[in-house]
Amino acid sequence: MRAWILAALALVACVTVGLRASTSAQSPLIVTVDQVDTSSMPDVALTVSAIGPDGKPKAVLGTGDFDVFEAGTLASQQSVEANSTGAVGLVIAIDTSGSVKDKLEDTKVRAMALVDGMIPVDLVVVGGFADTRRPTVAPTTDNEAAKQAIGSLSQGAYTAFFNGVGTAVQVALSMPTPGKAVVIYSDGENYERDDLAGEQHVRQQAVDNGVQVYTVDLQTASEQDQLFKDLPPLTGGQYFGTLTDTTAAELLAHLPHLDHPDHL
């Protein structure tokens, strides 16, 4: 879930949010503070995410389930409200070039874990990219179909990074969902590295159109394109320096689909 917590704070210094022991014993969750709104001081609105160890959002929690601390002192909570703004259109783009061949199968498994966290109202598109882009499934609400598409990806040749990212952003823009995001699993290598016009176009398309871009580094490239790390923060996304068992959960904690009430 993602929720707004309204609390009375004095200085908004060192704010932390945790689950009460009785709640965490029933359902262990990872709770993070995503945003702090101080525009109505002393009332402060905290946007928090609560994700289970399986990487999926959990049921709605109430005021009695959270403790809010400011500089180690328990703060007064006034309300907890679910934040619901809509579903997401997610494009999963997986680098299938020769440089990631030893990590391709593991990447597919971990990308499937991300798909498992999506709900029926979300749209998912899966595609592979190397020397050419290879969309393998049209926008679908069927998670099993999306996972089958991931499993069908096969190795290609060189990495056309701008081509792959640019196509993923364009596909995301065409999806009829309030939230739009792209997750790119790649080593960031780019044989189109002299294509400055391509780089500027990709950057502009994502930034100007509100598509959140997330890149997950497979760490196999000897030389990496700087856009691989620079683009995500410009779009409100994030660069992940390595692919681990917790990457899917971390992605799910940031993607806008968690705001939909069906996730709560």
Side-chain angles (χ1 to χ4, degrees):
M1 66 166 288
R2 182 169 291 168
W4 286 305
I5 299 177
L6 187 63
L9 303 176
L11 301 175
V12 200
C14 301
V15 177
T16 58
V17 177
L19 290 175
R20 294 185 178 171
S22 58
T23 302
S24 60
Q26 298 173 12
S27 179
L29 299 175
I30 301 170
V31 178
T32 58
V33 178
D34 299 324
Q35 185 175 358
V36 179
D37 181 358
T38 61
S39 61
S40 300
M41 288 286 288
D43 291 336
V44 176
L46 307 172
T47 303
V48 302
S49 298
I51 306 298
D54 58 357
K56 298 182 180 181
K58 298 305 177 182
V60 172
L61 300 176
T63 305
D65 296 307
F66 291 102
D67 280 326
V68 179
F69 294 89
E70 182 183 22
T73 301
L74 185 64
S76 172
Q77 295 182 59
Q78 297 180 23
S79 65
V80 174
E81 178 184 352
N83 175 356
S84 57
T85 59
V88 72
L90 176 65
V91 180
I92 297 176
I94 298 178
D95 185 345
T96 59
S97 65
S99 61
V100 300
K101 62 180 180 180
D102 293 335
K103 292 197 172 183
L104 181 56
E105 293 306 313
D106 183 57
T107 300
K108 290 196 282 187
V109 170
R110 296 180 191 275
M112 290 179 193
L114 175 60
V115 173
D116 281 332
M118 311 303 283
I119 62 171
V121 296
D122 294 329
L123 286 173
V124 180
V125 174
V126 173
F129 67 96
D131 49 324
T132 58
R133 56 187 182 273
R134 307 176 194 180
T136 57
V137 65
T140 181
T141 58
D142 186 342
N143 288 354
E144 290 305 313
K147 290 196 295 184
Q148 289 177 11
I150 291 172
S152 72
L153 294 174
S154 58
Q155 184 184 330
Y158 301 106
T159 310
F161 181 67
F162 295 154
N163 195 336
V165 178
T167 299
V169 170
Q170 290 173 6
V171 171
L173 285 172
S174 71
M175 299 171 79
T177 51
K180 304 176 193 300
V182 172
V183 175
I184 301 164
Y185 297 89
S186 177
D187 60 3
E189 194 172 60
N190 182 33
Y191 85 92
E192 302 170 302
R193 62 175 58 93
D194 295 328
D195 184 5
L196 296 180
E199 177 177 349
Q200 292 171 355
H201 178 71
V202 169
R203 189 188 302 266
Q204 183 175 350
Q205 281 283 300
V207 174
D208 291 352
N209 293 286
V211 178
Q212 294 182 358
V213 177
Y214 299 83
T215 56
V216 182
D217 198 337
L218 303 182
Q219 297 185 321
T220 58
S222 57
E223 185 176 355
Q224 193 172 70
D225 193 277
Q226 192 61 40
L227 189 68
F228 187 64
K229 293 182 179 179
D230 289 349
L231 184 59
L234 293 176
T235 66
Q238 185 173 332
Y239 163 77
F240 291 85
T242 186
L243 179 61
T244 69
D245 290 338
T246 64
T247 302
E250 293 172 20
L251 284 164
L252 287 166
H254 289 87
L255 291 177
H257 79 272
L258 292 179
D259 297 341
H260 194 281
D262 286 358
H263 279 282
L264 306 178

